Amino acid sequence: MDITKHAKIRCQQRGIPKNYIDLILQFGTPLCKPGGAIEYRINKKYKSQIQAHLKNLINRLDKIGNKAVLVSDNQVITVY
């Protein structure tokens, strides 16, 4: 997504790096604002849900080390 010059200046002033913007856009809840703009926001409740989901994902990633899936003709034929 393009960032306006104004937004770049505000990011510098407020210490908000580009990767924070990416996370907010990816996980934030969209809210319609006047003039057709959309605000993305992560509230405390949703933040807790995201954290729990990511912790679960990290735990699963730890368990799948050295595992593999063999695929042929768009079908899983074995796992090891």
Side-chain angles (χ1 to χ4, degrees):
M1 181 173 294
D2 292 330
I3 298 177
T4 64
K5 182 179 177 182
H6 172 81
K8 287 178 185 178
I9 292 168
R10 290 294 183 252
C11 285
Q12 290 174 341
Q13 292 173 335
R14 296 172 178 154
I16 299 173
K18 171 82 167 73
N19 61 351
Y20 285 16
I21 295 170
D22 295 337
L23 282 172
I24 293 168
L25 291 174
Q26 182 177 359
F27 294 107
T29 301
L31 302 167
C32 293
K33 294 301 222 178
I38 301 172
E39 173 185 274
Y40 289 84
R41 178 179 295 257
I42 297 177
N43 62 31
K44 289 180 183 180
K45 180 181 176 183
Y46 191 55
K47 178 182 165 188
S48 296
Q49 291 173 347
I50 295 168
Q51 287 173 328
H53 173 73
L54 292 174
K55 286 177 185 178
N56 182 280
L57 181 60
I58 290 168
N59 288 335
R60 288 186 286 156
L61 284 169
D62 285 340
K63 292 179 181 180
I64 62 171
N66 297 323
K67 305 281 191 273
V69 177
L70 188 60
V71 177
S72 179
D73 296 325
N74 204 31
Q75 291 183 321
V76 175
I77 56 175
T78 192
V79 295
Y80 48 94

